[in-house]
Coordinates of all heavy atoms in Angstrom, one line a residue:
P30 N 116.9 -13.1 60.6 CA 117.3 -11.8 60.9 C 118.5 -11.8 61.9 O 118.5 -12.5 62.9 CB 116.1 -11.2 61.6 CG 115.0 -12.2 61.4 CD 115.7 -13.5 61.2
M31 N 119.6 -11.0 61.5 CA 120.8 -11.0 62.3 C 121.2 -9.6 62.8 O 120.7 -8.6 62.2 CB 122.0 -11.6 61.5 CG 121.7 -12.9 60.8 SD 121.8 -14.3 61.9 CE 123.5 -14.6 62.0
S32 N 122.0 -9.6 63.8 CA 122.7 -8.4 64.2 C 123.9 -8.2 63.4 O 124.4 -9.1 62.8 CB 123.1 -8.5 65.7 OG 124.0 -7.5 66.1
D33 N 124.4 -6.9 63.4 CA 125.7 -6.7 62.6 C 126.8 -7.4 63.3 O 127.9 -7.7 62.7 CB 126.0 -5.2 62.5 CG 126.2 -4.5 63.8 OD1 125.6 -5.0 64.9 OD2 126.9 -3.5 63.9
V34 N 126.7 -7.8 64.6 CA 127.7 -8.5 65.3 C 127.2 -9.9 65.5 O 126.3 -10.2 66.3 CB 128.0 -7.9 66.7 CG1 129.1 -8.7 67.4 CG2 128.5 -6.4 66.5
H35 N 127.7 -10.9 64.8 CA 127.3 -12.3 64.9 C 128.4 -13.2 64.5 O 129.3 -12.8 63.8 CB 126.0 -12.5 64.1 CG 126.2 -12.3 62.7 ND1 125.9 -11.1 62.0 CD2 126.6 -13.2 61.7 CE1 126.2 -11.2 60.7 NE2 126.6 -12.5 60.5
N36 N 128.3 -14.5 64.9 CA 129.2 -15.5 64.4 C 128.6 -16.3 63.4 O 127.4 -16.1 63.0 CB 129.8 -16.3 65.6 CG 128.7 -17.1 66.4 OD1 127.7 -17.5 65.8 ND2 128.8 -17.2 67.7
D37 N 129.3 -17.3 62.9 CA 128.8 -18.1 61.8 C 128.2 -19.5 62.2 O 128.0 -20.3 61.4 CB 129.9 -18.4 60.8 CG 130.3 -17.1 60.0 OD1 129.4 -16.3 59.8 OD2 131.5 -17.0 59.5
E38 N 127.9 -19.6 63.5 CA 127.4 -20.9 64.0 C 126.2 -21.4 63.3 O 126.1 -22.5 62.8 CB 127.1 -20.8 65.5 CG 126.6 -22.1 66.1 CD 125.9 -21.9 67.4 OE1 125.5 -20.8 67.8 OE2 125.7 -23.0 68.1
I39 N 125.2 -20.5 63.1 CA 123.9 -20.9 62.5 C 124.1 -21.2 61.1 O 123.6 -22.2 60.6 CB 122.9 -19.7 62.7 CG1 122.5 -19.6 64.1 CG2 121.7 -20.0 61.8 CD1 121.6 -18.4 64.4
K40 N 124.9 -20.4 60.3 CA 125.2 -20.6 58.9 C 125.8 -22.0 58.7 O 125.4 -22.8 57.8 CB 126.0 -19.5 58.3 CG 126.4 -19.7 56.9 CD 127.2 -18.6 56.4 CE 127.9 -18.9 55.1 NZ 127.1 -19.5 54.0
V41 N 126.9 -22.3 59.5 CA 127.6 -23.5 59.4 C 126.7 -24.7 59.6 O 126.7 -25.7 58.9 CB 128.8 -23.5 60.4 CG1 129.4 -24.9 60.5 CG2 129.9 -22.5 60.0
L42 N 125.9 -24.7 60.7 CA 125.0 -25.8 61.0 C 123.9 -26.0 59.9 O 123.6 -27.2 59.6 CB 124.3 -25.6 62.4 CG 125.3 -25.7 63.6 CD1 124.6 -25.3 64.9 CD2 125.7 -27.2 63.7
L43 N 123.4 -24.9 59.4 CA 122.3 -25.1 58.4 C 122.9 -25.6 57.1 O 122.3 -26.4 56.4 CB 121.6 -23.7 58.2 CG 120.7 -23.3 59.4 CD1 120.1 -21.9 59.1 CD2 119.7 -24.3 59.8
D44 N 124.1 -25.0 56.7 CA 124.8 -25.5 55.5 C 125.1 -27.0 55.6 O 124.9 -27.8 54.7 CB 126.1 -24.7 55.3 CG 125.8 -23.3 54.7 OD1 124.7 -23.1 54.3 OD2 126.7 -22.5 54.7
K45 N 125.6 -27.4 56.8 CA 126.0 -28.8 57.0 C 124.8 -29.7 56.8 O 124.9 -30.8 56.4 CB 126.5 -28.9 58.5 CG 127.1 -30.3 58.8 CD 127.6 -30.3 60.2 CE 128.1 -31.7 60.6 NZ 128.6 -31.8 62.0
N46 N 123.6 -29.2 57.2 CA 122.4 -30.1 57.1 C 121.6 -29.8 55.8 O 120.4 -30.2 55.7 CB 121.5 -29.8 58.3 CG 122.0 -30.5 59.6 OD1 121.8 -31.7 59.8 ND2 122.8 -29.7 60.4
K47 N 122.2 -29.0 54.9 CA 121.6 -28.7 53.6 C 120.3 -28.1 53.7 O 119.3 -28.4 53.0 CB 121.6 -30.0 52.7 CG 123.0 -30.6 52.4 CD 122.8 -31.8 51.6 CE 124.2 -32.3 51.0 NZ 125.2 -32.5 52.1
I48 N 120.1 -27.1 54.6 CA 118.9 -26.4 54.8 C 119.0 -25.1 54.0 O 120.0 -24.3 54.2 CB 118.7 -26.0 56.3 CG1 118.6 -27.3 57.1 CG2 117.4 -25.2 56.5 CD1 117.4 -28.2 56.8
E49 N 118.0 -24.8 53.2 CA 118.1 -23.6 52.4 C 117.7 -22.4 53.3 O 116.7 -22.4 53.9 CB 117.0 -23.7 51.2 CG 117.1 -22.6 50.2 CD 116.2 -22.8 49.0 OE1 115.6 -23.9 48.9 OE2 116.0 -21.8 48.3
H50 N 118.6 -21.4 53.3 CA 118.4 -20.3 54.2 C 119.1 -19.0 53.7 O 120.0 -19.1 52.9 CB 118.9 -20.6 55.6 CG 120.4 -20.7 55.7 ND1 121.1 -21.9 55.2 CD2 121.3 -19.9 56.1 CE1 122.4 -21.7 55.4 NE2 122.6 -20.5 55.9
T51 N 118.6 -17.9 54.2 CA 119.2 -16.6 53.9 C 119.4 -15.8 55.2 O 118.5 -15.7 56.0 CB 118.4 -15.8 53.0 OG1 118.0 -16.5 51.8 CG2 119.1 -14.5 52.6
E52 N 120.6 -15.3 55.4 CA 120.8 -14.5 56.6 C 120.9 -13.0 56.1 O 121.4 -12.7 55.1 CB 122.2 -14.8 57.2 CG 122.3 -16.2 57.8 CD 123.7 -16.6 58.1 OE1 124.3 -16.1 59.0 OE2 124.3 -17.4 57.3
A53 N 120.3 -12.1 56.9 CA 120.3 -10.7 56.6 C 120.4 -9.9 57.9 O 119.8 -10.2 58.9 CB 119.1 -10.3 55.8
V54 N 121.3 -8.9 57.9 CA 121.4 -8.0 59.0 C 120.2 -7.0 59.0 O 119.9 -6.4 58.0 CB 122.7 -7.2 58.9 CG1 122.8 -6.1 60.0 CG2 124.0 -8.1 59.0
M55 N 119.5 -7.0 60.2 CA 118.4 -6.1 60.3 C 118.5 -5.1 61.4 O 117.7 -4.2 61.5 CB 117.1 -7.0 60.5 CG 116.8 -7.9 59.3 SD 115.1 -8.6 59.4 CE 114.2 -7.3 58.5
Y56 N 119.5 -5.3 62.3 CA 119.7 -4.4 63.4 C 121.2 -4.4 63.8 O 121.9 -5.3 63.4 CB 118.8 -4.8 64.6 CG 119.0 -6.2 65.1 CD1 119.7 -6.5 66.3 CD2 118.4 -7.3 64.4 CE1 119.8 -7.8 66.7 CE2 118.5 -8.6 64.9 CZ 119.2 -8.8 66.1 OH 119.3 -10.1 66.5
R57 N 121.6 -3.4 64.6 CA 123.0 -3.2 64.9 C 123.1 -2.6 66.3 O 122.2 -2.0 66.8 CB 123.7 -2.3 63.9 CG 123.1 -0.9 63.8 CD 123.8 -0.1 62.8 NE 122.9 1.0 62.4 CZ 122.6 1.4 61.2 NH1 123.2 0.8 60.1 NH2 121.8 2.4 60.9
T58 N 124.3 -2.9 66.9 CA 124.6 -2.3 68.2 C 125.5 -1.1 68.0 O 126.4 -1.1 67.3 CB 125.4 -3.4 69.0 OG1 124.7 -4.6 69.1 CG2 125.8 -2.8 70.4
V59 N 125.0 0.0 68.7 CA 125.7 1.3 68.6 C 126.0 1.8 70.0 O 125.3 1.5 70.9 CB 124.9 2.3 67.7 CG1 124.8 1.8 66.3 CG2 123.6 2.6 68.4
S60 N 126.9 2.8 70.1 CA 127.2 3.4 71.3 C 126.1 4.3 71.8 O 125.5 5.0 71.0 CB 128.5 4.3 71.2 OG 128.8 5.0 72.3
N61 N 125.8 4.2 73.1 CA 124.7 5.0 73.7 C 125.4 6.2 74.4 O 125.8 6.1 75.5 CB 123.9 4.2 74.7 CG 122.7 4.9 75.2 OD1 122.2 5.9 74.6 ND2 122.1 4.4 76.2
D62 N 125.6 7.3 73.6 CA 126.5 8.3 74.1 C 126.0 9.1 75.3 O 124.8 9.3 75.5 CB 126.7 9.3 72.9 CG 127.5 8.7 71.8 OD1 128.1 7.7 72.0 OD2 127.5 9.3 70.7
F63 N 126.9 9.5 76.1 CA 126.7 10.3 77.3 C 126.5 11.8 76.9 O 127.2 12.2 76.0 CB 127.8 10.1 78.3 CG 127.7 8.9 79.1 CD1 128.0 7.6 78.5 CD2 127.4 8.9 80.5 CE1 127.9 6.5 79.3 CE2 127.3 7.7 81.2 CZ 127.6 6.5 80.6
T64 N 125.7 12.5 77.6 CA 125.5 13.9 77.3 C 126.5 14.7 78.3 O 126.9 14.1 79.3 CB 124.1 14.4 77.6 OG1 123.7 14.1 78.9 CG2 123.1 13.7 76.6
K65 N 126.7 15.9 78.0 CA 127.7 16.7 78.8 C 127.2 16.9 80.2 O 128.0 17.1 81.1 CB 127.9 18.1 78.1 CG 128.7 17.9 76.8 CD 128.9 19.3 76.2 CE 129.7 19.2 74.9 NZ 129.9 20.5 74.2
D66 N 125.9 16.9 80.4 CA 125.4 17.2 81.8 C 125.2 15.9 82.6 O 124.7 15.9 83.7 CB 124.0 17.9 81.7 CG 123.0 17.2 80.9 OD1 123.3 16.2 80.3 OD2 121.8 17.7 80.9
E67 N 125.6 14.7 82.0 CA 125.5 13.5 82.8 C 126.8 13.4 83.7 O 127.9 13.4 83.2 CB 125.4 12.3 81.9 CG 124.0 12.0 81.3 CD 123.9 10.7 80.6 OE1 123.7 9.7 81.2 OE2 124.1 10.8 79.3
S68 N 126.6 13.1 85.0 CA 127.7 13.0 85.9 C 128.3 11.6 85.7 O 127.6 10.6 85.3 CB 127.3 13.2 87.3 OG 126.3 12.2 87.7
F69 N 129.6 11.5 85.9 CA 130.3 10.2 85.7 C 131.3 10.1 86.9 O 132.5 10.2 86.7 CB 131.0 10.2 84.3 CG 131.4 8.8 83.9 CD1 130.5 7.8 83.5 CD2 132.8 8.4 84.0 CE1 130.9 6.6 83.2 CE2 133.1 7.1 83.6 CZ 132.2 6.2 83.2
D70 N 130.8 9.9 88.1 CA 131.6 9.9 89.3 C 131.4 8.6 90.0 O 130.9 8.6 91.2 CB 131.2 11.1 90.2 CG 129.7 11.1 90.5 OD1 128.9 10.4 89.8 OD2 129.3 11.9 91.4
Y71 N 131.8 7.5 89.4 CA 131.5 6.2 89.9 C 132.8 5.6 90.5 O 133.9 5.8 90.0 CB 131.0 5.2 88.9 CG 129.6 5.7 88.4 CD1 129.5 6.5 87.2 CD2 128.5 5.4 89.1 CE1 128.2 6.9 86.8 CE2 127.2 5.8 88.7 CZ 127.1 6.6 87.5 OH 125.9 7.0 87.1
D72 N 132.6 4.7 91.5 CA 133.7 4.0 92.1 C 133.9 2.6 91.4 O 135.0 2.0 91.5 CB 133.5 3.7 93.6 CG 133.2 5.0 94.4 OD1 134.1 5.9 94.3 OD2 132.1 5.1 95.0
M73 N 132.9 2.2 90.7 CA 132.9 0.9 90.0 C 132.1 0.9 88.7 O 130.9 1.5 88.8 CB 132.5 -0.2 90.9 CG 132.6 -1.6 90.3 SD 132.4 -2.9 91.6 CE 132.9 -4.3 90.6
L74 N 132.6 0.3 87.6 CA 131.8 0.2 86.4 C 131.7 -1.3 86.1 O 132.7 -2.0 86.2 CB 132.6 0.9 85.2 CG 133.0 2.4 85.5 CD1 133.8 2.8 84.3 CD2 131.8 3.2 85.6
V75 N 130.5 -1.7 85.7 CA 130.3 -3.1 85.4 C 129.8 -3.3 83.9 O 128.8 -2.7 83.5 CB 129.2 -3.8 86.3 CG1 129.0 -5.2 86.0 CG2 129.7 -3.6 87.8

């Protein structure tokens, strides 16, 4: 199971070792939107 954002490290290593496998996207990262009534008055963002 993979995220929609991933690199090919696992695929490359398994292919190299001739391991039968299937990758499939099962989850994704999306923006967690701010609402209009949320204040955004910060001196620093991390």
